Amino acid sequence: YSDPTLQMVSAPRLTSDDVLFVLSWSGRTSYLIANMEIAKKAGARILSISPGGSVVASLADENINLNAYRASAQALIVPTGRAPMYVL
């Protein structure tokens, strides 16, 4: 689910038989990190595609590095949350 609330409700119901697949453009989205922590406590294994060295990558059991995100102090047109996932 892409809805953070549905993720929060679903995450505690995962078990050691489940694998959570996480896609993160920045690797630092707070609600996603919180939901990953819940899923991990529930026993789920986590596979992520996110920037190497990010919080998301460190929480995952396995991470595929996607180092396309670049932080910027300049005001840029920020893509919606779904646009980076379409690129993947």
Side-chain angles (χ1 to χ4, degrees):
Y1 303 110
S2 61
D3 182 290
T5 304
L6 287 176
Q7 291 173 5
M8 185 177 62
V9 171
S10 299
R13 292 176 170 75
L14 298 175
T15 69
S16 59
D17 293 330
D18 296 309
V19 175
L20 180 65
F21 184 62
V22 176
L23 300 171
S24 179
W25 185 252
S26 69
R28 57 186 195 170
T29 305
S30 60
Y31 71 81
L32 182 59
I33 291 166
N35 290 331
M36 287 176 71
E37 290 171 339
I38 294 168
K40 197 168 194 84
K41 285 180 186 174
R45 293 192 38 88
I46 301 173
L47 170 63
S48 65
I49 297 178
S50 66
S54 67
V55 178
V56 167
S58 68
L59 285 172
D61 295 298
E62 296 292 334
N63 183 64
I64 299 169
N65 291 337
L66 174 70
N67 293 317
Y69 175 78
R70 300 290 183 265
S72 175
Q74 297 176 349
L76 300 172
I77 297 174
V78 178
T80 66
R82 293 182 187 264
M85 297 308 116
Y86 293 143
V87 171
L88 290 173

